[in-house]
Amino acid sequence: MNRFAIKAGLGACVLGASVLIPAQASAEPAATATGTELSGMTVFLDPGHQGSSEGHDLAQQVNDGRGNTKDCQTSGMTSLGGVPEHTINWNASQLVKSSLESLGAKVVLSRQDDTGWGGCVDERARAASESNADVAVSIHADSTAQGEDASKHGFHMIIPSLPIPDEKADAAQSGGGLEASKMMRDAYKSDGFVPANYAGVNDGLQTRADVAGPALTQVPLVFVEMGNGSNKEDSAQLESTDGQLKHAITITTGIVTYLLTGSQSAPAEELAAAPAATTTTPEASEDSASSTTTTTPKATTPQSTAPESAEFSELMEMLAPLLEVEGLDGLEDLVNDKNLGLVSELASTLMAVITGAGGN
């Protein structure tokens, strides 16, 4: 993973961020995580799709960022086991959110729950741009057939065909967005995930001009396709709590790697000063990525790292099946020589709660 060794995620105690603070090779050992490593940084997380489209027209035409239009949203895939993509994306994003917040980052979500409407793709891109995030990550899962497709499998990152008409979006995606996407790809490969073997994916990267989010987002964007829900093995991992956790660990690793070691040659503050694009500004709507607009100043006040009780309860409920099957000893298997790090305060707190509740 470039010139630094990093491992961030939810390892040791499932939810806490098990982090190796970046240390140059042959430099002094990594310092103890303090929970403030990402203070002053903002991450925009977009759990693709939404729980319900009731009252909304998915076919509504919105700006695609390239002078044309496309559908506001798609319904998303359903895994072979019957789990809708929006739920898989939501569960993974909640784990990533908790991990990032435990390191002091401010996390902005494109949608606030997994039951209602979350906006069209251009609205999400606009929200990402207005958040002035250091990086935006759109979390998705793919499919290649209505039923099983045993021959196609693997993860990939969607990157936009360049150049992008909007100058701010082009600067963001050709600079930090491309760098962050490659770092995320490297994190996936490092953690043993296999790059997709279909749809023109080259070493985990797929270049496309038909996905509106990257063409409309004016901050660096990573568009993650975690796996193919039409493939039996990929689908089983996407559906399970353990599998979602492993994806969340890897996604967190990619984000933290970029935030702490990336060149960030075109930070959001500089992009905000770039000349306005000649293309028209999108209205509101899309399908799985983000949404665009003018940027607003980024708050630098460190965010509270304490989990809200409702969110904590929801996350613990998600993890309950894994705890019941594996117990704490099983969870410890998620930590290996690659991700052994210094457990955050959140991790320690959760471990205390779990053991106090009589975990094995």
Side-chain angles (χ1 to χ4, degrees), residues 73-261:
Q73 266 281 4
T74 62
S75 58
M77 70 89 179
T78 299
S79 70
L80 292 176
V83 182
E85 181 189 345
H86 65 81
T87 295
I88 295 170
N89 301 338
W90 176 258
N91 290 348
S93 71
Q94 291 303 287
L95 294 167
V96 174
K97 176 177 181 289
S98 289
S99 184
L100 294 172
E101 288 180 336
S102 77
L103 295 174
K106 174 183 178 181
V107 178
V108 180
L109 292 173
S110 65
R111 57 185 173 103
Q112 304 309 308
D113 55 52
D114 194 39
T115 57
W117 175 253
C120 296
V121 287
D122 64 326
E123 292 174 313
R124 297 184 187 212
R126 180 179 300 114
S129 299
E130 290 181 338
S131 75
N132 201 24
D134 294 277
V135 68
V137 180
S138 192
I139 299 174
H140 292 263
D142 200 12
S143 66
T144 54
Q146 289 294 324
E148 184 174 354
D149 189 349
S151 65
K152 299 181 180 66
H153 59 83
F155 78 89
H156 64 278
M157 310 296 138
I158 295 176
I159 57 176
S161 176
L162 300 171
I164 296 170
D166 183 290
E167 293 182 22
K168 294 180 182 178
D170 185 66
Q173 307 321 327
S174 63
L178 182 58
E179 181 179 24
S181 295
K182 290 179 177 179
M183 287 182 172
M184 186 70 74
R185 181 271 313 275
D186 292 346
Y188 260 83
K189 291 176 65 176
S190 178
D191 282 356
F193 290 95
V194 178
N197 64 347
Y198 61 91
V201 174
N202 182 11
D203 194 24
L205 301 178
Q206 181 193 50
T207 301
R208 290 174 60 176
D210 63 332
V211 179
L216 293 170
T217 303
Q218 298 172 343
V219 298
L221 172 69
V222 179
F223 196 115
V224 182
E225 293 284 3
M226 296 182 286
N228 183 6
S230 302
N231 177 275
K232 186 176 181 179
E233 288 73 27
D234 280 12
S235 184
Q237 186 170 61
L238 291 168
E239 294 165 2
S240 71
T241 302
D242 188 16
Q244 292 166 10
L245 173 62
K246 289 177 180 178
H247 277 288
I249 290 172
T250 302
I251 291 170
T252 303
T253 298
I255 292 171
V256 176
T257 301
Y258 173 71
L259 291 178
L260 298 186
T261 73

Side-chain angles (χ1 to χ4, degrees), residues 51-92:
S52 172
S53 60
E54 184 177 357
H56 298 272
D57 180 9
L58 292 179
Q60 173 190 341
Q61 292 302 289
V62 302
N63 190 339
D64 73 348
R66 297 183 185 273
N68 299 304
T69 62
K70 68 173 300 176
D71 289 350
C72 154
Q73 266 281 4
T74 62
S75 58
M77 70 89 179
T78 299
S79 70
L80 292 176
V83 182
E85 181 189 345
H86 65 81
T87 295
I88 295 170
N89 301 338
W90 176 258
N91 290 348

